[in-house]
Amino acid sequence: MLRLTHRQHVPRHEHAHHQVAYPSHGVLEVSTDAGTWIVPPHRAVWLPAGVAHAHRAHGPTQLRTVDFEVGGPGAGFGGPVVVAVSPLLREVIVALTGRDDPGARRRENLRRVALDEIRAVRQLPLHLPTPADDRLAAIADALAADPADPRTLAAFGRAVGASERTLSRLFREQMTMTFPQWRAQVRLHRALILLAAGASVTSVAARCGYSGPSAFVQAFRQAFGTTPGRFANGGDGAGAT
């Protein structure tokens, strides 16, 4: 288990093996050439072998990782994926990353159970792709600086020199989602980071562009299955160690 302080950065690296990274406490930001994944507690990210990535912690973070050999049974994912962590998967990861060595035979049995659980749990839409088009990149930079920016896609188009129709098509092609879906992801990503840093629900709602705390709570619950208040206080698995 690796203990990371708030905003601590793990430089870009890659592994010869597949890996599951699980923040049993705190929020982990995982960056690759393909984009960024935000991994809150009770979630994990599957990182295939050879994918260069970097980590950043938001809030004090306990990072647990489990390695899987290439060539053996895999999880079936072609790239990084954030998955829900079931109670069983959480306990298996904790057993594999605890202080006590389970022994070679039990370790392999636990890895097989972990893979079975990873295949069974649902993938979560916590990926922000990196745009290739300069105009989309300018919009992404603007919303990264201020997720509450209320401009429509047409207004952004006037700023970057492209029609709303062109930008809408580019979002579907390059980001695999619509502009409203992508903006919602940006806001949820920032909300997780702000909550991990100790910001209040009311403050996060305002800073991320929600119409009010109730709208933020509803969007957060729909995405993560818990309220931002419970998340911030370590509820719903957030405090698992």
Side-chain angles (χ1 to χ4, degrees), residues 38-126:
I38 296 292
V39 191
H42 54 279
R43 308 290 186 260
V45 61
W46 173 268
L47 294 163
V51 174
H53 57 280
H55 298 312
R56 184 177 297 278
H58 296 283
T61 299
Q62 295 175 0
L63 175 60
R64 299 175 182 267
T65 60
V66 178
D67 300 335
F68 300 89
E69 294 299 321
V70 174
F77 303 128
V81 173
V82 175
V83 297
V85 173
S86 67
L88 175 57
L89 179 56
R90 180 175 64 244
E91 293 305 316
V92 169
I93 292 175
V94 169
L96 285 167
T97 57
R99 296 176 181 174
D100 297 330
D101 184 355
R105 183 176 178 179
R106 185 162 182 261
R107 188 183 306 112
E108 288 308 308
N109 288 336
L110 288 170
R111 284 198 180 103
R112 283 195 288 269
V113 173
L115 274 177
D116 285 343
E117 282 297 291
I118 290 167
R119 294 189 195 106
V121 296
R122 65 188 178 98
Q123 300 179 37
L124 299 166
L126 291 171

Side-chain angles (χ1 to χ4, degrees), residues 14-33:
E14 60 183 79
H15 307 286
H17 46 259
H18 305 308
Q19 185 180 84
V20 165
Y22 168 56
S24 57
H25 189 85
V27 172
L28 187 70
E29 180 180 347
V30 181
S31 301
T32 75
D33 290 339

